[in-house]
Amino acid sequence: MKKFLSMCNNLTMVTVISFVVIHVLFLTSVTYISYKVFFEFTSEEISETRLTLLNERVEKVSNFINSISDAGVYVALNNDVKQIFSNTQLTSYEAIVEQRELTELLNTLLSFKRNIHSINIYTDRYEEYPTVSGSAVYSSDTPKEEDWFQVINEMDNGWVPNHTSRNGEEIISYIHRLSDNYGNTIGYVKVNVLVSTIIEAMSGGENIHPNKDSYILVDAGERVILQDDGSTEESITNQVVSRQNGTYNKIKPRYADDFNYHNILKEGNLNYLFMISSETYNHWRLVHITPMDVLYEETKKIGWSVMVIGLIGLLFSIPLAIWAGRKLIFPINKMIRGMREVEKGNFHYRLGSHYIEEYNILSKNFNNMAERLEESIKQIDKEHKGKREAEVKALQAQISPHFLYNTLEMVHWRALDYKAEDISYMVNQLSKMFRIGVTGGRKFIPLRDELVHADCYINIQKARFHMDISYTIDIPAAMKRLYVSKIILQPFIENSIKHGFPRMPETRPEIRVTAFYKEDTLKLQIIDNGKGLPEELPAQEASGIGIKNTQERIWLYCGSTFGATLYSRDTQGVIVEITLPIIKTQTEAEDYLNER
């Protein structure tokens, strides 16, 4: 988690994430809007197309209905039929003949109207006479118990909604009143058509229920003549049809004046396309209800395709976003590297120009800053170098009088006690020390000369205190040619004699100087067999002005990584270890000083 948060703090990552998020929002918005616009446009087109198809179907139904009603009107207005029913004198024989003539007339009509299932005549004319087998003429008492008879009895003609025939078949019927030549009602003709036949005529032989459709046929009086729900839920058709207790259901009043109309009906979580056809010349209409989920299945597939294409475009855009983010952030990364270089002390680092104005201004400001820092550091180094020179001279001034006073005091007392030869010897040794110590102002001298300087000091101490000091040098000849900071051995040897041995030591004082290489540095060791230290003691905490000044000179000339350390030996005595850079020539020594 911490690693992720750390990555989020990176400017490149923030830029890439922002770019990707904006791109996602943009593509999502465009895809969604495109899908909505496309869906609405397609929905309107599909609705209009389906409505046009519905208008074509209602025309087919209207033609079919007219054909059926024409058959009923033909029978009702047929002169032969009227003439038959106008004969008031009737014998049994004549009744049988009339029934056969009427049945033959109906059968002839059926042969021409193949879409008609059957035609029946209901009359009470033949109630007292024998009934002909296979006759299409029935007693008027037969339909009186039917719901539709009460409605038809009040009209000259009309349609009966889908109902069940004697044979258990779903039919709709056209009924027309029969009258004689005097206008008296003597019966009814009923033309029956199978519901399946009407649906076939309406669809032209195609399956009109591929999507659980529902069709409702409405006559001029807003009565539902045919209702074929297919597999549609009854609850959705109840939004359109008013359920009546009588024979007829009716279309709801709010749709009574609508034609050539489409809308969306909702039932629960489902949507349905609701359409009403235009009116036919006899004012009939056809209502169509179909589920939208199935209707717009192909449209949804296209919509999902648009979404998938958008997603693929997004996935391909992420590498582009990363590339663009790195391209835009690259100058800032270069600036960060430049600042790190400046932190390391590389003030020569410069940034190049950039074609983006803001980055170009930052680059110029960075270069100006680095240049001013470089000049300031050079000025500080120059001032620091002058300060170091002054400090070194002051240190030398501290060392020379200190040692000179001690030596002159010793020469004075020796002159009183001994002959002049000893004095001459010590003065000669002292002369060598001064000559090496001055060395024309040089800061580094060969290790060989430094060893001679220390040897002179030992000889003077031997003569001064009548001490038998064992002083050995264990350094290869090649190392003696290396250059070291001058007067670095004598102060530590002086400290060893002064603090390591009593005035009258029980054992012979031994001082040994060695040298070796370690990790690209030169190590000088001064080893004695004196009292030693109570614990390891850093050189900067050692007593004596000479040791302190020596340590400071090493730091000034060589750097803070070099210097001297004092620690006790495992057996007896002290080891002083001086760490110095390896400098082989005087030129290298001068270059080393210039770099400091």
Side-chain angles (χ1 to χ4, degrees):
M1 186 65 180
K2 291 182 178 179
K3 186 176 181 181
F4 175 76
L5 292 176
S6 176
M7 289 176 61
C8 290
N9 291 332
N10 183 276
L11 181 58
T12 302
M13 186 59 64
V14 169
T15 303
V16 171
I17 292 175
S18 300
F19 188 92
V20 171
V21 169
I22 293 173
H23 205 57
V24 168
L25 294 176
F26 175 76
L27 281 179
T28 303
S29 301
V30 170
T31 304
Y32 177 77
I33 293 172
S34 300
Y35 175 76
K36 290 292 290 184
V37 171
F38 174 78
F39 185 80
E40 291 177 1
F41 173 78
T42 307
S43 298
E44 186 66 24
E45 289 294 315
I46 290 176
S47 300
E48 292 293 335
T49 302
R50 303 281 292 193
L51 186 58
T52 302
L53 179 61
L54 185 66
N55 290 332
E56 293 176 358
R57 284 178 174 172
V58 77
E59 289 296 331
K60 293 180 181 179
V61 173
S62 177
N63 294 332
F64 184 83
I65 292 298
N66 291 335
S67 175
I68 302 303
S69 62
D70 288 346
V73 172
Y74 172 79
V75 173
L77 299 181
N78 187 276
N79 290 327
D80 293 337
V81 174
K82 285 182 176 289
Q83 186 64 37
I84 290 174
F85 285 115
S86 296
N87 184 11
T88 58
Q89 299 297 324
L90 188 65
T91 65
S92 296
Y93 174 77
E94 290 176 335
I96 293 174
V97 171
E98 287 182 4
Q99 291 181 55
R100 288 179 176 176
E101 288 179 352
L102 290 173
T103 301
E104 184 178 356
L105 173 66
L106 297 180
N107 290 335
T108 301
L109 185 59
L110 285 174
S111 66
F112 288 103
K113 301 285 187 178
R114 296 184 179 277
N115 292 329
I116 298 176
H117 178 261
S118 62
I119 302 177
N120 302 321
I121 291 178
Y122 297 91
T123 180
D124 56 4
R125 180 180 178 85
Y126 306 109
E127 289 182 353
E128 298 178 356
Y129 300 97
T131 302
V132 177
S133 177
S135 172
V137 180
Y138 300 94
S139 173
S140 297
D141 294 334
T142 303
K144 286 183 179 179
E145 295 181 359
E146 299 289 341
D147 293 336
W148 56 266
F149 183 80
Q150 301 301 325
V151 179
I152 294 300
N153 195 37
E154 299 174 0
M155 300 185 301
D156 287 337
N157 59 76
W159 286 86
V160 177
N162 51 317
H163 56 285
T164 305
S165 68
R166 293 180 178 180
N167 298 328
E169 298 169 313
E170 285 292 319
I171 60 174
I172 65 171
S173 303
Y174 175 76
I175 299 178
H176 200 288
R177 186 186 300 271
L178 296 177
S179 59
D180 57 17
N181 290 330
Y182 306 102
N184 299 317
T185 301
I186 47 85
Y188 299 91
V189 58
K190 183 171 180 278
V191 183
N192 303 311
V193 182
L194 293 174
V195 170
S196 59
T197 303
I198 297 179
I199 293 175
E200 183 178 358
M202 180 172 58
S203 64
E206 298 176 358
N207 181 14
I208 64 172
H209 296 298
N211 304 322
K212 301 181 179 180
D213 296 3
S214 176
Y215 287 91
I216 302 171
L217 185 61
V218 182
D219 68 3
E222 316 303 336
R223 293 170 297 190
V224 176
I225 302 302
L226 171 64
Q227 181 172 337
D228 181 32
D229 290 339
S231 301
T232 305
E233 297 292 337
E234 184 178 358
S235 58
I236 190 66
T237 56
N238 287 339
Q239 295 188 34
V240 180
V241 175
S242 296
R243 303 294 177 180
Q244 306 292 327
N245 294 327
T247 303
Y248 296 98
N249 291 327
K250 285 192 174 184
I251 191 169
K252 287 190 174 181
R254 61 178 172 176
Y255 302 117
D257 298 326
D258 292 332
F259 58 92
N260 201 33
Y261 165 83
H262 65 83
N263 196 4
I264 303 298
L265 296 181
K266 294 182 179 295
E267 181 65 28
N269 296 325
L270 299 177
N271 294 329
Y272 293 84
L273 178 61
F274 168 64
M275 295 178 291
I276 301 179
S277 70
S278 58
E279 288 185 315
T280 63
Y281 74 93
N282 55 0
H283 305 293
W284 284 46
R285 289 174 296 169
L286 185 62
V287 177
H288 182 199
I289 302 173
T290 183
M292 292 189 65
D293 287 343
V294 180
L295 186 63
Y296 297 125
E297 185 174 356
E298 293 299 323
T299 304
K300 288 183 177 180
K301 289 181 180 179
I302 296 174
W304 280 111
S305 300
V306 173
M307 294 291 287
V308 170
I309 292 172
L311 180 61
I312 294 174
L314 174 62
L315 294 177
F316 277 103
S317 68
I318 290 177
L320 178 63
I322 295 174
W323 176 84
R326 290 179 176 175
K327 194 72 175 177
L328 292 174
I329 302 303
F330 180 73
I332 295 181
N333 291 334
K334 287 190 66 177
M335 291 178 189
I336 293 174
R337 286 198 297 270
M339 291 177 182
R340 289 174 179 170
E341 289 294 325
V342 170
E343 285 181 356
K344 295 176 183 179
N346 181 13
F347 300 103
H348 301 290
Y349 191 90
R350 295 292 184 271
L351 296 176
S353 59
H354 201 272
Y355 62 90
I356 297 179
E357 182 179 359
E358 288 77 4
Y359 286 151
N360 198 38
I361 293 174
L362 289 174
S363 297
K364 289 182 179 179
N365 291 338
F366 175 85
N367 293 337
N368 292 335
M369 177 195 71
E371 186 175 352
R372 287 195 298 270
L373 283 174
E374 185 177 12
E375 293 176 355
S376 299
I377 293 298
K378 287 181 179 180
Q379 182 65 27
I380 292 172
D381 285 344
K382 184 177 180 181
E383 294 175 357
H384 186 58
K385 188 174 182 180
K387 181 180 178 181
R388 287 190 303 172
E389 292 289 342
E391 290 175 348
V392 169
K393 290 181 180 178
L395 289 173
Q396 289 178 340
Q398 287 179 323
I399 295 173
S400 298
H402 172 71
F403 181 72
L404 180 59
Y405 295 151
N406 289 340
T407 304
L408 291 178
E409 183 182 4
M410 182 270 298
V411 172
H412 168 69
W413 290 106
R414 293 297 294 171
L416 294 177
D417 297 334
Y418 297 95
K419 296 181 181 181
E421 290 81 2
D422 293 339
I423 296 173
S424 175
Y425 173 76
M426 287 188 292
V427 169
N428 182 49
Q429 296 296 310
L430 183 59
S431 175
K432 287 183 180 180
M433 289 184 64
F434 284 155
R435 184 172 61 252
I436 294 172
V438 176
T439 60
R442 289 181 296 168
K443 308 302 185 296
F444 289 89
I445 61 174
L447 178 57
R448 181 188 301 105
D449 293 344
E450 181 63 21
L451 293 172
V452 171
H453 183 274
D455 185 60
C456 292
Y457 174 78
I458 291 290
N459 292 333
I460 292 174
Q461 295 302 99
K462 286 180 180 180
R464 178 184 177 188
F465 297 111
H466 297 284
M467 295 178 67
D468 183 14
I469 300 174
S470 174
Y471 176 67
T472 58
I473 299 174
D474 186 11
I475 298 176
M479 287 188 181
K480 293 181 180 180
R481 291 194 291 269
L482 299 177
Y483 281 75
V484 297
S485 180
K486 64 182 179 181
I487 314 179
I488 57 175
L489 296 178
Q490 179 269 327
F492 291 104
I493 293 175
E494 177 183 357
N495 191 70
S496 177
I497 294 173
K498 181 177 180 181
H499 300 287
F501 303 100
R503 184 61 57 90
M504 298 297 294
E506 297 178 358
T507 58
R508 182 185 182 190
E510 296 180 356
I511 298 176
R512 182 163 61 94
V513 181
T514 64
F516 59 91
Y517 297 119
K518 185 177 181 181
E519 297 179 357
D520 297 330
T521 61
L522 174 64
K523 299 282 189 178
L524 296 179
Q525 285 188 343
I526 303 171
I527 306 171
D528 65 40
N529 61 342
K531 293 188 300 181
L533 299 173
E535 58 184 12
E536 293 186 4
L537 185 67
Q540 60 268 28
E541 297 180 11
S543 61
I545 191 172
I547 293 178
K548 182 178 180 181
N549 289 339
T550 301
Q551 182 73 303
E552 290 180 355
R553 282 190 293 110
I554 293 175
W555 288 343
L556 287 172
Y557 293 148
C558 302
S560 59
T561 57
F562 301 99
T565 304
L566 281 69
Y567 52 92
S568 298
R569 297 175 62 189
D570 295 337
T571 54
Q572 184 180 3
V574 176
I575 297 176
V576 178
E577 186 172 274
I578 304 172
T579 303
L580 299 170
I582 298 174
I583 302 175
K584 297 180 180 180
T585 64
Q586 182 63 40
T587 302
E588 288 184 13
E590 293 175 357
D591 293 341
Y592 196 84
L593 284 174
N594 292 332
E595 292 177 0
R596 299 295 303 160

